[in-house]
């Protein structure tokens, strides 16, 4: 998938049939991160830790339902994927890109959690389930990078080291 | 986008020992999860706090290199709001009472 132009209705990306299928299959995995994964405080020093945690989880669950709804509506829109010379053209508005970035990062982090939170370079045991998580993690990261680059966020050489 | 008070203010106050009851007392902290893309973290900081790219990158690199970064020092309500926003993007964020 790559950015081809900024149109009047948003940013237009080009992607092949296989990339389209991968994107849809990745989105289908959402949500993967358990709501209980997030904590409001590290040491429970909130005034009402249990209540605050419950509210946090409710709020995140609601947010996920909204993301799911928004992304589904986005995909269901007629002409979302327009047949092009090679593959498809896929148009996204800024708010749609934000929602998609959240969905993709959830899949990426959720897959990483499922793999046992390996450090960079650490290889999880070669099982079928791990292979699925590894692919979801890498594919979601790949789509995220394309979307972020389209928004003008790219890695700087100064970040190395 | 709400304005936030950031670390340099804390450091100055800590050095001079100045404190008042009116000061906000909660820190918003982002912790390093090695899985998050550096570009993604930068983008989220820009989006949630309205920061420019340079400031967002400074905090992102602090998270990456030191394991965490204090992103804001504010009231409890605002700290909760920011933590919710960051977690919405699946970043590892918490709030902590300022000691």
């Amino acid at each position: 998938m790559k950015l081809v132009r900024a149109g009047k209705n948003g940013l237009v990306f080009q992607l092949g049939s296989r990339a389209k299928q991968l994107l849809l299959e990745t989105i289908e995995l959402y949500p993967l991160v358990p709501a209980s994964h997030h904590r409001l405080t590290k040491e429970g020093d909130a005034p009402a830790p249990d209540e605050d945690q419950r509210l946090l989880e409710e709020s995140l669950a609601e947010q996920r339902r909204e993301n799911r709804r928004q992304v589904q509506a986005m995909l269901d829109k007629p002409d979302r994927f327009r047949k092009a010379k090679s593959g498809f053209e896929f148009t996204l508005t800024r708010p749609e890109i934000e929602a998609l970035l959240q969905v993709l990062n959830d899949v990426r982090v959720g897959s990483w959690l499922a793999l046992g939170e390996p450090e960079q370079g650490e290889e999880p045991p070669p099982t079928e389930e791990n292979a699925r998580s590894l692919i979801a993690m890498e594919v979601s990261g790949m789509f995220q990078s394309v979307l972020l680059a389209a928004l003008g966020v790219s890695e700087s050489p100064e970040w190395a080291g | 986008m709400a304005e936030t008070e950031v670390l340099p203010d804390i450091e100055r106050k800590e050095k001079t020992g100045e404190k008042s009851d009116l000061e906000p007392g909660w820190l918003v902290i982002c912790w390093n999860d090695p899985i998050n893309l550096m570009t993604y973290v930068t983008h989220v900081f820009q989006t949630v706090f309205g920061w420019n790219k340079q400031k967002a990158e400074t905090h992102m690199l602090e998270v990456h290199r030191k394991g965490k970064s204090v992103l804001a020092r504010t009231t409890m309500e605002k700290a909760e709001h920011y933590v919710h926003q960051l977690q919405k993007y699946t970043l590892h964020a918490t709030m902590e009472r300022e000691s």
Side-chain angles (χ1 to χ4, degrees):
Chain A
M1 185 167 100
K2 64 175 181 184
L3 176 69
V4 285
R5 65 179 179 276
K8 63 177 164 62
N9 297 322
L11 299 178
V12 183
F13 298 87
Q14 186 182 49
L15 76 175
S17 306
R18 179 71 187 127
K20 180 189 169 197
Q21 188 188 342
L22 272 175
L23 178 65
L24 297 178
E25 285 176 3
T26 305
I27 292 170
E28 199 55 44
L29 296 171
Y30 178 81
L32 281 186
V33 176
S36 57
H37 171 69
H38 293 291
R39 313 296 301 178
L40 196 55
T41 63
K42 252 213 167 0
E43 292 151 12
D45 58 354
D50 293 342
E51 177 66 0
D52 287 346
Q53 184 62 30
R54 188 183 62 77
L55 290 172
L56 171 72
E57 289 181 20
E58 277 180 11
S59 161
L60 289 173
E62 177 56 34
Q63 181 62 43
R64 284 161 172 211
R65 280 192 291 274
E66 176 57 24
N67 276 348
R68 177 84 247 171
R69 192 199 58 74
Q70 196 177 343
V71 170
Q72 198 55 55
M74 176 185 97
L75 296 174
D76 291 345
K77 226 170 174 177
D79 287 341
R80 172 63 64 185
F81 294 97
R82 294 172 70 95
K83 199 92 180 84
K85 219 171 189 179
S86 63
F88 297 89
E89 282 194 351
F90 177 41
T91 305
L92 291 169
T93 62
R94 285 276 177 144
E96 287 169 344
I97 291 177
E98 285 301 325
L100 193 49
L101 279 171
Q102 289 179 19
V103 165
L104 290 169
N105 207 56
D106 179 284
V107 172
R108 185 165 166 81
V109 173
S111 304
W112 177 70
L113 292 173
L115 287 166
E117 306 180 29
E119 290 293 328
Q120 209 165 13
E122 189 185 338
E123 287 185 19
T127 64
E128 202 173 308
E129 201 179 328
N130 282 350
R132 271 197 298 271
S133 295
L134 207 52
I135 291 167
M137 191 176 88
E138 294 302 333
V139 168
S140 51
M142 182 193 74
F143 285 121
Q144 279 183 291
S145 294
V146 176
L147 294 175
L148 288 164
L151 294 178
V153 193
S154 49
E155 282 204 28
S156 160
E158 293 165 15
W159 294 359
Chain B
M1 184 68 63
E3 286 192 4
T4 57
E5 294 174 66
V6 294
L7 259 184
D9 292 336
I10 308 168
E11 287 167 355
R12 190 171 61 245
K13 296 259 166 55
E14 281 177 351
K15 278 176 192 160
T16 57
E18 290 171 19
K19 265 185 180 291
S20 91
D21 291 343
L22 298 175
E23 286 178 345
W26 290 83
L27 306 177
V28 176
I29 301 171
C30 187
W31 303 84
N32 188 39
D33 264 346
I35 191 59
N36 287 313
L37 301 173
M38 293 163 94
T39 45
Y40 179 74
V41 177
T42 303
H43 171 73
V44 174
F45 288 173
Q46 286 184 271
T47 306
V48 171
F49 294 100
W51 291 342
N52 61 31
K53 196 175 175 196
Q54 191 184 7
K55 185 171 181 180
E57 282 182 1
T58 301
H59 282 278
M60 177 278 292
L61 287 172
E62 192 174 24
V63 172
H64 180 67
R65 291 172 183 162
K66 298 182 179 171
K68 68 172 186 177
S69 178
V70 177
L71 305 182
R73 175 176 154 274
T74 185
T75 60
M76 189 182 76
E77 289 76 14
K78 280 189 181 169
E80 276 180 355
H81 168 77
Y82 287 131
V83 169
H84 279 221
Q85 290 300 306
L86 294 164
Q87 292 183 344
K88 204 171 85 175
Y89 281 89
T90 343
L91 293 194
H92 186 179
T94 58
M95 55 191 275
E96 200 171 278
R97 201 190 292 270
E98 192 182 11
S99 53

